[in-house]
Amino acid sequence: MSKTMTGAKMVVQALKDQGVEVIFGYPGGAVLPIYDEIFQQNEIRHILVRHEQAAVHAAEGYARSTGKPGVVLVTSGPGATNAVTGLTDALLDSIPLVVLSGQVPTFMIGNDAFQEADTVGITRPCTKHNWLVKETDRLASTIHQGFHVATSGRPGPVLIDIPKDVQFANGHYTAPPQADTKMYQPRVKGDIEMITRLVEAMELAERPVFYTGGGVINSGPAATQLLRELVEATGFPITSTLMGLGAYPASGDKWLGMLGMHGLYEANLAMHGCDLMINVGARFDDRITGRVADFSPKSAKAHIDIDPSSINKTIQVEMPIIGDVAHVLEDMLRVWKSRGRKVNKEGLTKWWKQINEWRTVDCLSFKPSEKTIKPQHALARLEELTKGHDRYITTEVGQHQMWAAQYLGFEDPNRWMTSGGLGTMGYGFPASIGVQLAHPESLVINVAGEASWLMNMQEMGTAIQYRLPVKQFILNNERLGMVRQWQELLHGERYSHSWSEALPDFVKLAEAFGAKGIQCSDPADLDDAIMEMINYDGPVIFDCLVEKHENCFPMIPSGEPHNKMLLGEASTKDAIGNSGAVLV
Amino acid sequence: MSALKIKKGSSRKSAYDLRDPNGEVIENHTLAILVDNEAGVLARVIGLFSGRGYNIESLTVAEVDHEGHLSRITIVTRGTPAVIEQIKAQLGRIVPVHEVHDLTVEGPSVERELALFKVTGQGDKRIEALRLAEIFRANVVDSTLESFVFEMTGTSEKIDAFADLMRPLGLIEMARTGIAALSRGA
């Protein structure tokens, strides 16, 4: 079936055929024909953001919380360059996005035309793949290919650059089934021989640990279900990266908490001391490994990943398994069951005894205060007062992000949206908008720091316009807290430009946009204030004035291995050597 | 490596070869990369090398299948075994890349390069240049009373050797194509 239509109409038709319900965008000269088509239909909802970076983060929030690809529409030149941070963020965190950008007409490309930028050139290293479409006849099939590439294999962002004359011209529409997707077919089934070798190791291991990551969540609900079944059946402890929180429930008794630089003591020591590490959809990021040479020195390691380039990139593993997490876990369970469901019971008992000893250190304990709100206390109370709700959490980047990961518990996947790989300040607010659009009835909270939050505060307009009751829970320490912490530990307490001067009155700011503002500085008022935020039907800026000099612990100083964790203020003196100081 | 006595390396069917992944020896590898002949594909490949800090010693690219729109990129790169494996895996993940072959480890292969040399001179030097060109089986593709342009095909070492000999005899300019390579046998 082939219909003739304009390129602009084709864009909208292709999005409908891909099942797109929401797109995030901002109009401009080079996308006017597409906006004209959007105007003349009601199936796809367009959300007008206030800055293109926010459009991409909102689409990331939408994608991460639904498992569906997020779609963005921006104009040429500055529209596209503003999207670059979001694209890079999505690439590092493997979030499926389809970004459509307008381009100057084909006959003007290369002439330094108004609002011209080499968009495919600029975005080549920050997309999974990108296309410049020069013929209207190829536009629809390219968009369908874009959705296929973004969502298959290791997900990621793609960009399709569409010159304005291609939008105006007529061409033949290609429906999704006719589009060629054979060109990209990543392998999903793991090598059964290697899976069997891993199962044999699981039967013998005395000190096994599951180390899981965002790949479990990207693989979908089946992967989460299989992971939970495997953990329960084997009785192995499980820890997760920042990106993987929620795949295994935080209330589960095999849960060790998050690992890594600000991970839990018991999780990091289990990683350091294990004899079998089973990496499921994580990538041995430097926030996880610490000093590579001393990373988990006594263990045999298995690595399940759909991306062959993740394997042996930083950590050499004995058992590489290339495949989709759900497929591989299904085979693992099947093989393990058929071999008689064996585990090393004696070893495991000892291992759990050791882990429970580590747990008694209670590494997340903090000194509460009656005078000032400790940020940890604020999050502990937020957890207590919201955990029964249908709740989604996004975060900005910094100390508050790590505290949120430590003190909030996630029972299900797709409930936690954070910028892990790129560490993008300004991610959380627009992401919360994307999440709220996908889940209009749910409680969506962005845990923020005041500095990060200001980076995309213009999105208050979007939240108000679309009546999105997103809660902005700002831990305001008037500092760039994580920068300040590193300056204290590494740079002789010289706090170079790490404080927030000239902050706005957040309550008045909320009111100026037509939202509700709440300020809280007294620990005694905190619960009531949080309840007021939850119960308000509309967007809220919650200005939580917290202790200004609190540091985030536990912490593995940069350049150190897992067993050299800092647990509190007393242990920080000269903790980071010269070689560690050059790391970030 | 571990108490579990797990065999290191890979299974029969996995893509990983069994060279010592921790080896520190820097090796030269010739990679043949089959790609869709589309706009920007070369930029993707060389952008990967510059963006991730890999070396390119030689690079050759041309369309080899007009019907199928396929181009072949031949890259000579340097690195430890782990780096070479990583380069191959990263190349494999570029969407328009169809195949990546490491000709250095996949069995015997032939490598050839074409070079043009402009040599100026008069008298004995000119005669000596011509005599050496015959020994090296270089062809004269242009000549004036003061100059020759020689064309030679061979291994990179042979081209280097010829260039060394020509330098004192008046080599003023040189162009090389970079390496093209194919595996031997069927």
Side-chain angles (χ1 to χ4, degrees):
Chain A
M1 185 191 74
S2 159
K3 276 195 289 191
T4 301
M5 59 180 86
T6 66
K9 203 173 185 66
M10 232 177 238
V11 169
V12 174
Q13 186 61 46
L15 295 181
K16 284 180 189 168
D17 286 352
Q18 288 291 339
V20 174
E21 290 162 358
V22 182
I23 61 176
F24 302 88
Y26 204 99
V31 281
L32 283 176
I34 299 173
Y35 270 88
D36 200 31
E37 289 298 331
I38 288 172
F39 187 83
Q40 299 175 52
Q41 57 85 47
N42 284 317
E43 284 170 62
I44 295 174
R45 193 171 175 207
H46 177 273
I47 303 299
L48 177 71
V49 294
R50 293 338 190 229
H51 187 287
E52 289 89 348
Q53 183 194 350
V56 187
H57 293 324
E60 285 185 271
Y62 180 90
R64 193 72 176 164
S65 68
T66 59
K68 294 191 277 191
V71 182
V72 174
L73 176 59
V74 296
T75 194
S76 63
T81 57
N82 277 344
V84 164
T85 301
L87 286 168
T88 313
D89 191 89
L91 184 71
L92 278 185
D93 284 347
S94 305
I95 309 294
L97 294 184
V98 177
V99 177
L100 307 170
S101 56
Q103 181 55 280
V104 301
T106 48
F107 53 85
M108 290 177 83
I109 288 177
N111 277 335
D112 297 328
F114 176 64
Q115 292 199 328
E116 180 183 358
D118 175 10
T119 302
V120 286
I122 290 168
T123 60
R124 201 173 282 130
C126 62
T127 52
K128 187 173 170 188
H129 194 53
N130 62 12
W131 294 263
L132 170 64
V133 183
K134 289 182 168 170
E135 296 149 49
T136 308
D137 277 338
R138 301 185 70 154
L139 178 55
S141 60
T142 304
I143 294 173
H144 299 317
Q145 281 177 354
F147 276 88
H148 172 73
V149 170
T151 54
S152 315
R154 181 176 180 174
V158 302
L159 178 137
I160 302 166
D161 201 25
I162 313 171
K164 198 172 181 183
D165 56 336
V166 172
Q167 299 171 31
F168 273 127
N170 278 303
H172 292 287
Y173 181 76
T174 309
Q178 274 77 51
D180 176 22
T181 51
K182 284 199 296 292
M183 66 358 158
Y184 183 71
Q185 292 295 341
R187 167 175 164 181
V188 292
K189 287 289 272 184
D191 173 11
I192 200 72
E193 205 174 307
M194 195 60 82
I195 290 172
T196 308
R197 201 187 287 180
L198 169 56
V199 169
E200 285 168 21
M202 287 164 64
E203 291 167 354
L204 297 172
E206 292 175 359
R207 302 183 307 280
V209 67
F210 282 109
Y211 150 46
T212 63
V216 182
I217 291 165
N218 277 335
S219 180
T224 301
Q225 215 44 53
L226 289 159
L227 177 72
R228 291 174 181 205
E229 189 183 341
L230 189 61
V231 170
E232 295 316 319
T234 56
F236 292 179
I238 175 169
T239 177
S240 164
T241 66
L242 183 73
M243 297 308 295
L245 296 177
Y248 184 81
S251 59
D253 63 345
K254 308 295 182 298
W255 177 238
L256 301 181
M258 181 177 78
L259 80 158
M261 184 175 270
H262 293 287
L264 270 66
Y265 184 74
E266 49 269 41
N268 283 334
L269 286 196
M271 288 287 280
H272 191 80
C274 66
D275 69 346
L276 174 65
M277 179 186 297
I278 307 167
N279 173 341
V280 189
R283 62 182 175 93
F284 294 112
D285 177 84
D286 58 73
R287 299 293 97 162
I288 297 304
T289 58
R291 190 198 295 161
V292 168
D294 296 319
F295 175 71
S296 192
K298 296 184 208 97
S299 63
K301 299 174 186 72
H303 188 177
I304 302 165
D305 202 303
I306 199 158
D307 179 358
S309 76
S310 284
I311 290 177
N312 291 345
K313 183 166 66 180
T314 47
I315 300 293
Q316 297 291 328
V317 298
E318 287 78 4
M319 293 164 278
I321 300 171
I322 298 166
D324 171 60
V325 167
H327 284 84
V328 174
L329 288 180
E330 192 180 9
D331 284 342
M332 270 168 76
L333 260 168
R334 189 169 47 75
V335 173
W336 181 71
K337 284 177 181 168
S338 71
R339 289 169 55 98
R341 298 167 170 264
K342 284 177 286 205
V343 292
N344 183 338
K345 284 207 179 91
E346 197 184 329
L348 272 177
T349 310
K350 267 201 236 164
W351 183 223
W352 273 111
K353 190 161 168 281
Q354 170 70 72
I355 288 170
N356 286 329
E357 265 172 48
W358 289 329
R359 280 174 165 169
T360 61
V361 168
D362 194 12
C363 67
L364 292 184
S365 63
F366 57 93
K367 280 192 222 110
S369 157
E370 288 186 2
K371 289 202 186 92
T372 55
I373 300 176
K374 291 273 185 162
Q376 301 95 322
H377 177 67
L379 285 165
R381 293 315 302 159
L382 185 73
E383 165 72 359
E384 192 56 35
L385 297 170
T386 62
K387 68 180 176 190
H389 287 70
D390 174 19
R391 180 188 77 177
Y392 291 82
I393 301 284
T394 68
T395 76
E396 305 286 344
V397 168
Q399 284 182 322
H400 67 273
Q401 177 189 28
M402 293 298 109
W403 281 317
Q406 291 170 345
Y407 291 92
L408 303 180
F410 297 95
E411 297 298 307
D412 292 301
N414 306 98
R415 296 275 173 167
W416 163 248
M417 275 56 58
T418 193
S419 172
L422 194 63
T424 310
M425 292 171 72
Y427 166 89
F429 184 14
S432 72
I433 285 175
V435 174
Q436 188 80 72
L437 271 156
H439 310 277
E441 304 302 323
S442 306
L443 175 62
V444 180
I445 303 170
N446 173 33
V447 176
E450 83 290 344
S452 279
W453 192 83
L454 287 173
M455 282 200 179
N456 268 323
M457 59 159 275
Q458 77 285 344
E459 296 308 314
M460 279 308 290
T462 312
I464 294 291
Q465 179 179 343
Y466 297 98
R467 299 172 187 277
L468 301 169
V470 287
K471 314 302 183 202
Q472 304 304 312
F473 192 71
I474 301 174
L475 299 176
N476 183 352
N477 59 359
E478 300 172 21
R479 300 287 184 283
L480 311 185
M482 194 59 94
V483 172
R484 198 211 66 87
Q485 177 167 344
W486 280 58
Q487 287 171 335
E488 180 184 320
L489 297 178
L490 268 164
H491 296 277
E493 301 179 43
R494 290 179 296 280
Y495 299 119
S496 182
H497 296 270
S498 58
W499 68 93
S500 302
E501 197 78 66
L503 282 172
D505 178 331
F506 284 101
V507 174
K508 281 189 186 156
L509 181 72
E511 286 163 5
F513 274 101
K516 183 177 181 60
I518 300 172
Q519 191 183 63
C520 184
S521 57
D522 187 340
D525 301 336
L526 184 61
D527 279 20
D528 288 345
I530 290 175
M531 288 313 295
E532 192 185 353
M533 172 184 85
I534 297 169
N535 292 328
Y536 182 72
D537 183 20
V540 176
I541 300 178
F542 189 109
D543 184 17
C544 189
L545 302 178
V546 296
E547 165 64 45
K548 296 183 191 347
H549 303 108
E550 195 70 15
N551 283 336
C552 184
F553 293 109
M555 177 180 183
I556 302 175
S558 48
E560 295 291 348
H562 281 175
N563 59 347
K564 298 272 175 68
M565 297 189 82
L566 308 179
L567 286 169
E569 299 294 346
S571 53
T572 57
K573 196 171 172 349
D574 300 323
I576 301 178
N578 287 336
S579 59
V582 301
L583 305 170
V584 289
Chain B
M1 185 167 181
S2 75
L4 295 171
K5 294 200 173 64
I6 295 201
K7 254 189 311 176
K8 203 168 184 175
S10 60
S11 74
R12 196 162 34 80
K13 276 180 283 178
S14 86
Y16 293 87
D17 66 71
L18 295 166
R19 289 169 306 131
D20 176 11
N22 298 313
E24 290 301 316
V25 187
I26 306 268
E27 301 170 344
N28 266 342
H29 282 244
T30 305
L31 307 180
I33 308 151
L34 219 56
V35 300
D36 284 325
N37 184 15
E38 61 179 36
V41 67
L42 182 62
R44 284 179 212 285
V45 170
I46 59 177
L48 166 69
F49 277 76
S50 62
R52 292 185 184 266
Y54 306 138
N55 295 305
I56 296 180
E57 303 282 311
S58 163
L59 170 76
T60 312
V61 55
E63 188 175 67
V64 290
D65 178 356
H66 188 66
E67 298 278 290
H69 298 288
L70 291 177
S71 288
R72 186 178 174 108
I73 300 175
T74 309
I75 291 185
V76 180
T77 185
R78 284 169 67 73
T80 60
V83 168
I84 300 288
E85 287 306 310
Q86 185 58 208
I87 290 172
K88 289 190 277 185
Q90 292 289 352
L91 284 168
R93 121 188 160 118
I94 297 175
V95 173
V97 167
H98 290 268
E99 292 170 35
V100 180
H101 292 286
D102 185 345
L103 297 176
T104 307
V105 298
E106 287 180 14
S109 61
V110 283
E111 295 187 356
R112 287 293 182 273
E113 200 178 349
L114 185 144
L116 298 170
F117 307 83
K118 186 176 284 179
V119 181
T120 59
Q122 287 173 332
D124 288 350
K125 281 190 171 176
R126 187 169 157 84
I127 294 163
E128 181 63 7
L130 198 59
R131 205 179 64 82
L132 285 168
E134 275 171 30
I135 294 170
F136 274 77
R137 293 194 174 81
N139 299 318
V140 177
V141 291
D142 176 70
S143 90
T144 67
L145 292 175
E146 296 89 33
S147 70
F148 289 118
V149 174
F150 297 116
E151 172 212 51
M152 196 172 84
T153 307
T155 61
S156 301
E157 292 75 20
K158 183 179 167 187
I159 288 166
D160 288 341
F162 187 67
D164 286 344
L165 288 172
M166 286 299 114
R167 219 159 266 125
L169 299 176
L171 177 66
I172 59 162
E173 210 179 342
M174 180 177 173
R176 333 177 38 152
T177 58
I179 286 169
L182 280 179
S183 61
R184 288 179 187 271

